[in-house]
Amino acid sequence: MTDRSPNNRIARLARAAAVCGASTKLCPADRTTQLLEAIIEPGDRIAIEGDNQKQADFLAAALAKLDPARVHDLHMVQSVIALPEHLAVFERGVANRLDFAFAGPQSRKLAELVAAKAVRIGAIHTYLELYARMLVDLTPRVALVVADKADHNGNLYTGPNTEDTPTIAEAAAFRGGIVVAQVNEIVDRLPRVDIPSDWVDFVVPSPKPYLIDPLFTRDPAKIRNENVLMAMMAISAVYEPYQVQRLNHGIGYATAAIELILPTFAAQRGLKGKVARHFVLNPHPTLIPAIEAGFVDNVYCFGSELGMERYVSSRADVFPVGADGNLRSNRALAQVAGQYACDLFIGGTLQIDAAGNSSTATKDRITGFGGAPNMGADARGRRHDTPAWLRAGQEAGEALRGRKLVVQMVQTRQPNGAPSFVERLDAFDLAASAGFALPPVMIRGDDVSHVITERGVANLLRCRSPGEREAALRAVAGDTDFGRRQSPEATDDLRRRGIVMFPSDLGIDEKTATRDWLAAKSIDELVTASGELYAPPAKFRRTTVAAA
């Protein structure tokens, strides 16, 4: 067990002083691996900041270079496994245990290392769950974080991407841990102080700016007609009847399509001021037209989005902008807001089974969950009411409480052709091979209120038995083995009872479900809608061609 005594901390800091110098918190970049070898001991629990977007990449590279003969058996606790270096520590024998939330970019490699017994996973967490455990039983001994700037005293400025930094730093700093911050530059005066210097032990100026990914940017040119159709059904079957005003969107082309048809399709239905007013959401570029059309009152952010900085700063009436003129985000608080302050979560998945359970952990990919289970769960501690919450509860037959709307929006087949609807989740087999006590289900079926495909909408709130839920799911599963096991007569009965709704049941002519509804059809048009304030990242800076 790691020694958390004051004397142990003093000894570690003394070793670090021999590397960095006793009179300063600043550590030269070329001594970073030496610094980590001085403050990290075998068996330590290490938190390294790897958010959805910004990465402590220089510190990750330095950690991966540690000598496994000196530092080994580390227990890594981190939100996101995003970089090759995040897994290199396991390949080199520096670390062997992992608790995490999301591993999108490294999901296949992680699955290989788990199968090879090079990584022992404690749990695949939700973000909020992992942060909570950092404060309780997964407290880091050393925390490696990242910020835009530091002053000479060690105060940190995170800029618009505050994200996880305060949570990780506080978890370590107030339990005798050691906090190291990678920063882009050292300045005399910060625009604002996001992390006070007495939480920070060492600051490392990185040779180059930290890596940040425009994870939430979706090019409107890639939105297809079927995405538009699903978006129209979502507005007609969920947003409008429930009068949803407070919500969170997941990442994807279907939800991007919803954002882009708010100023057109939703406006035509007279929904401005009645739906989609309050978002818990990163600053999605595809939200710009809806903001400019006056649909959106405010957006609270998990993090920022590369290229959106000037636009966000210009709309302090919508986004949480500080006196310094920049966004202040907070992933932990946004997760809380998404769970308790929102009436709707709408996102996607890789697989859905006959009970409505969904997962992004499949046989050859351990993707993890991120925040979906927090926001895609019915918060049973909630006590305030809204019309949307009350109506959902009434439809579900709840006598004493409302229900959160949890929508899974997925095409019947994944881009690679694999069916999205399956009789049995791969997560069950993964649990057996990885030694999990339970299969890693992302959103449990009893929390899901609606499933939307290009075929139609299944309103699971109106189902009164497991068999009825299964039949509703098969009705919208389309031309898949799962869907073909349903008789047309059974589907017709569900449609008559309003449990299943096809586009025609919602008054939607499928022939009109085209890209013409999009308020912006390309990245260039998003730039124009922003008043030229949106500056797309390099990979999006091109004249886009509409998808076929």
Side-chain angles (χ1 to χ4, degrees):
M1 184 175 179
T2 298
D3 184 355
R4 289 192 171 273
S5 67
N7 286 340
N8 179 262
R9 172 178 162 80
I10 291 170
R12 294 180 191 230
L13 294 177
R15 294 196 297 266
V19 174
C20 303
S23 61
T24 179
K25 288 187 175 186
L26 299 183
C27 178
D30 60 1
R31 299 182 194 172
T32 305
T33 296
Q34 293 171 268
L35 170 66
L36 298 184
E37 287 186 340
I39 61 175
I40 297 175
E41 296 179 354
D44 275 351
R45 188 179 296 120
I46 309 297
I48 183 166
E49 189 166 11
D51 304 327
N52 260 347
Q53 297 158 287
K54 70 172 183 176
Q55 305 292 331
D57 53 342
F58 183 69
L59 291 179
L63 189 70
K65 295 175 183 175
L66 295 182
D67 180 358
R70 297 178 58 181
V71 181
H72 49 82
D73 296 317
L74 298 184
H75 179 183
M76 301 303 301
V77 179
Q78 59 192 102
S79 298
V80 178
I81 309 294
L83 307 175
E85 291 84 358
H86 289 159
L87 294 180
V89 293
F90 297 98
E91 293 177 294
R92 296 193 63 246
V94 173
N96 59 14
R97 291 179 292 168
L98 172 66
D99 280 273
F100 76 109
F102 184 68
Q106 302 297 326
S107 57
R108 294 188 186 279
K109 182 66 174 180
L110 177 59
E112 293 172 7
L113 291 176
V114 169
K117 309 299 182 185
V119 179
R120 300 200 310 270
I121 295 177
I124 305 173
H125 298 73
T126 74
Y127 288 131
L128 201 56
E129 180 181 24
L130 187 65
Y131 304 147
R133 291 195 66 193
M134 284 187 189
L135 300 170
V136 179
D137 65 327
L138 289 182
T139 306
R141 191 68 182 90
V142 176
L144 308 177
V145 300
V146 59
D148 280 24
K149 299 176 176 65
D151 64 18
H152 295 278
N153 294 318
N155 295 298
L156 303 182
Y157 171 68
T158 58
N161 278 284
T162 307
E163 299 208 48
D164 300 1
T165 318
T167 306
I168 300 169
E170 182 166 343
F174 289 86
R175 290 289 302 278
I178 296 175
V179 177
V180 181
Q182 167 189 334
V183 300
N184 292 343
E185 60 179 325
I186 307 295
V187 297
D188 293 328
R189 183 178 176 83
L190 298 176
R192 70 176 185 236
V193 174
D194 289 310
I195 307 293
S197 62
D198 56 358
W199 296 15
V200 180
D201 295 288
F202 299 99
V203 173
V204 179
S206 176
K208 62 180 181 179
Y210 61 75
L211 178 67
I212 184 165
D213 182 37
L215 184 68
F216 294 88
T217 297
R218 291 294 178 269
D219 186 344
K222 295 183 178 180
I223 294 175
R224 304 176 69 87
N225 289 345
E226 54 264 39
N227 302 135
V228 176
L229 175 61
M230 292 169 66
M232 293 168 72
M233 287 192 283
I235 288 173
S236 302
V238 182
Y239 291 58
E240 183 173 3
Y242 295 93
Q243 298 288 286
V244 175
Q245 297 196 24
R246 308 180 308 179
L247 67 158
N248 167 261
H249 278 185
I251 313 171
Y253 288 105
T255 47
I258 294 175
E259 293 160 14
L260 286 169
I261 69 170
L262 285 174
T264 57
F265 181 74
Q268 187 183 87
R269 296 176 77 94
L271 297 179
K272 183 177 176 179
K274 297 178 181 178
V275 303
R277 293 175 56 201
H278 309 285
F279 281 88
V280 178
L281 195 70
N282 276 48
H284 291 191
T286 45
L287 202 58
I288 292 171
I291 293 171
E292 294 304 307
F295 252 86
V296 181
D297 289 354
N298 67 283
V299 182
Y300 186 72
C301 303
F302 301 85
S304 187
E305 184 69 355
L306 198 61
M308 284 287 284
E309 295 84 2
R310 287 195 305 150
Y311 177 74
V312 168
S313 294
S314 76
R315 295 306 305 261
D317 56 323
V318 173
F319 295 96
V321 173
D324 64 312
N326 283 320
L327 179 75
R328 161 76 180 199
S329 58
N330 188 300
R331 188 167 297 279
L333 293 181
Q335 293 290 333
V336 174
Q339 186 171 40
Y340 273 98
C342 289
D343 293 319
L344 165 69
F345 166 75
I346 184 163
T349 187
L350 294 178
Q351 290 186 335
I352 299 177
D353 69 10
N357 299 309
S358 65
S359 186
T360 53
T362 58
K363 290 177 181 177
D364 58 350
R365 293 176 62 186
I366 304 179
T367 306
F369 308 136
N374 294 143
M375 291 166 289
D378 187 34
R380 301 185 70 84
R382 174 174 169 169
R383 290 298 180 269
H384 70 282
D385 63 79
T386 60
W389 187 73
L390 290 173
R391 173 166 175 169
Q394 290 164 0
E395 287 195 7
E398 299 278 6
L400 293 176
R401 56 189 301 273
R403 277 284 300 270
K404 185 172 187 177
L405 295 163
V406 177
V407 180
Q408 292 285 55
M409 212 172 175
V410 60
Q411 291 185 236
T412 54
R413 291 188 180 274
Q414 296 294 316
N416 64 2
S420 301
F421 292 85
V422 295
E423 301 293 342
R424 173 186 167 89
L425 296 176
D426 285 0
F428 286 88
D429 297 327
L430 179 60
S433 63
F436 297 147
L438 294 171
V441 171
M442 182 175 70
I443 297 179
R444 297 189 177 96
D446 56 3
D447 275 325
V448 178
S449 65
H450 297 74
V451 174
I452 301 175
T453 71
E454 74 277 13
R455 176 70 169 156
V457 180
N459 185 338
L460 304 184
L461 293 172
R462 296 173 179 171
C463 297
R464 292 296 178 263
S465 70
E468 206 163 61
R469 290 170 62 85
E470 181 178 331
L473 291 168
R474 292 188 190 278
V476 298
D479 187 24
T480 61
D481 289 342
F482 185 91
R484 286 191 289 269
R485 292 192 175 98
Q486 172 101 319
S487 71
E489 293 76 17
T491 296
D492 288 342
D493 177 63
L494 293 171
R495 290 176 69 186
R496 281 192 295 272
R497 291 190 285 144
I499 293 173
V500 169
M501 292 160 279
F502 286 174
S504 59
D505 302 323
L506 296 166
I508 298 171
D509 181 351
E510 292 186 53
K511 294 178 182 177
T512 68
T514 69
R515 289 173 42 81
D516 290 340
W517 284 108
L518 300 178
K521 299 176 180 63
S522 68
I523 290 287
D524 293 342
E525 291 186 12
L526 290 177
V527 173
T528 300
S530 75
E532 309 297 324
L533 293 174
Y534 172 45
K539 68 179 180 179
F540 294 104
R541 290 176 195 159
R542 63 185 185 276
T543 302
T544 51
V545 179

